[in-house]
Amino acid sequence: MDIGLSLVDYEAAVGLTAFAAVFALMAAWEVAAPRRELSLPKGRRWLANLGVTLLNVVLVRVLFPTATVGAALAAGERHWGLFNIVTVPAPLAFVLSFIALDLVIWIQHIAFHRVPLLARLHRMHHVDLDFDVTTGLRFHPVEILLSLLIKFAAVLALGAPAAAVLLFELALNLGSLFNHSNVRMPRGIDRVLRWFIVTPDMHRVHHSIVPEEINSNFGFFLSWWDRLFRTYSAAPRAGHDAMTIGVRDTRDPAVCAGLWPMLALPFKERADDFPCVRPAAPHPAKS
């Protein structure tokens, strides 16, 4: 058996199975123990959010059929990248690659807030008027493609092991479903988990309408970077129940929960007030 092809096949099969299982689990948890009351009916939002997800999946599979795992395999075959040049124990290369890739995504996320052109793309993710498991899938196709190119560059520069890339992609995608979910979690469990990974209550702060809060908690899986670089906010000032989700100047459900208006949003000529090129203010609240 060709191990390279096996890993690529494994990524597609396991990724789809894990996605379906985690999505179903979080959706059921949202029904059983919701954290907040939703402001819009699920039907239209879910149709739009899942519609853009399907578009992204098809686009990526058509343009980059082997995705980042394929890039890692190519780097290994051609001896490209740090860990294919410098000899380190395989387990250490695995762990360091995973951590480095997560840091790259954290930096990328900040860039999509601070660079106005990129912020226009990322704004589609933030204009969702509610915050639930489908919000974690709602990214503009151009943002998805740019993110994929950034990950390609990081994988090739690191010479990351294909298995580490596979695990990272699973953690990133499934973590996004988890930390965008509208689920109620015991505070003690949340307090412990958020020292290691991003929890729903931690990431929900990032979807606040308040500029200082939207410019905090940029992590997608590991939660360390926001604490380390002082972009961490423990909780929204208004509290999770009273906070407002979304972007201040875009509150029309026809735009926020309509597939085609969402996709057209970055290309509108009108300027918006999506907070960008602004430093994140440390939050005084305690975890």
Side-chain angles (χ1 to χ4, degrees):
M1 178 184 293
D2 188 315
I3 295 177
L5 291 177
S6 176
L7 270 177
V8 171
D9 291 340
Y10 183 76
E11 178 201 25
V14 173
L16 181 59
T17 302
F19 169 85
V22 173
F23 183 90
L25 174 64
M26 302 316 300
W29 189 352
E30 289 182 342
V31 172
R35 184 67 171 89
R36 286 168 45 95
E37 183 177 347
L38 299 180
S39 61
L40 295 177
K42 280 187 176 181
R44 185 173 183 182
R45 280 187 58 254
W46 277 40
L47 186 63
N49 290 354
L50 295 178
V52 77
T53 303
L54 180 60
L55 176 62
N56 288 336
V57 169
V58 171
L59 193 61
V60 168
R61 285 298 169 184
V62 168
L63 295 178
F64 304 101
T66 61
T68 49
V69 173
L73 292 169
E77 291 171 357
R78 294 165 175 79
H79 303 287
W80 292 343
L82 178 65
F83 294 122
N84 289 315
I85 298 173
V86 178
T87 302
V88 297
L92 182 60
F94 184 101
V95 171
L96 291 179
S97 294
F98 185 98
I99 293 173
L101 288 170
D102 193 81
L103 176 58
V104 166
I105 293 301
W106 183 84
I107 295 170
Q108 171 196 292
H109 194 180
I110 289 184
F112 272 90
H113 275 252
R114 304 284 171 81
V115 179
L117 186 61
L118 299 179
R120 279 184 170 270
L121 294 169
H122 189 59
R123 183 170 177 264
M124 196 200 85
H125 178 65
H126 278 272
V127 299
D128 200 345
L129 298 177
D130 283 311
F131 180 92
D132 69 10
V133 63
T134 64
T135 309
L137 305 169
R138 174 191 170 118
F139 296 94
H140 198 280
V142 179
E143 179 177 357
I144 289 292
L145 293 178
L146 288 174
S147 176
L148 193 55
L149 293 175
I150 291 169
K151 285 189 286 186
F152 278 152
V155 167
L156 294 175
L158 285 168
V165 175
L166 174 59
L167 181 63
F168 171 73
E169 289 286 13
L170 282 173
L172 187 65
N173 295 329
L174 302 183
S176 187
L177 293 177
F178 168 67
N179 59 45
H180 283 87
S181 294
N182 181 36
V183 295
R184 185 174 296 278
M185 182 184 298
R187 291 187 64 183
I189 294 177
D190 174 86
R191 189 178 298 114
V192 172
L193 278 181
R194 68 167 62 192
W195 279 102
F196 306 98
I197 64 172
V198 179
T199 65
D201 275 9
M202 178 178 170
H203 192 67
R204 190 179 296 106
V205 180
H206 180 70
H207 282 256
S208 166
I209 201 172
V210 178
E212 292 78 16
E213 294 175 352
I214 201 173
N215 278 309
S216 68
N217 295 9
F218 292 99
F220 262 92
F221 185 69
L222 298 176
S223 62
W224 312 334
W225 313 118
D226 287 300
R227 294 180 185 272
L228 182 62
F229 294 107
R230 298 180 59 79
T231 54
Y232 174 69
S233 291
R237 289 182 173 88
H240 286 284
D241 293 329
M243 71 180 290
T244 301
I245 300 290
V247 176
R248 192 176 305 280
D249 77 331
T250 307
R251 311 297 300 170
D252 182 358
V255 174
C256 300
L259 177 58
W260 300 117
M262 283 163 42
L263 292 173
L265 199 60
F267 308 108
K268 289 187 174 181
E269 293 182 358
R270 180 180 179 276
D272 59 76
D273 74 346
F274 183 69
C276 63
V277 202
R278 302 178 188 174
H283 199 293
K286 302 296 182 181
S287 60

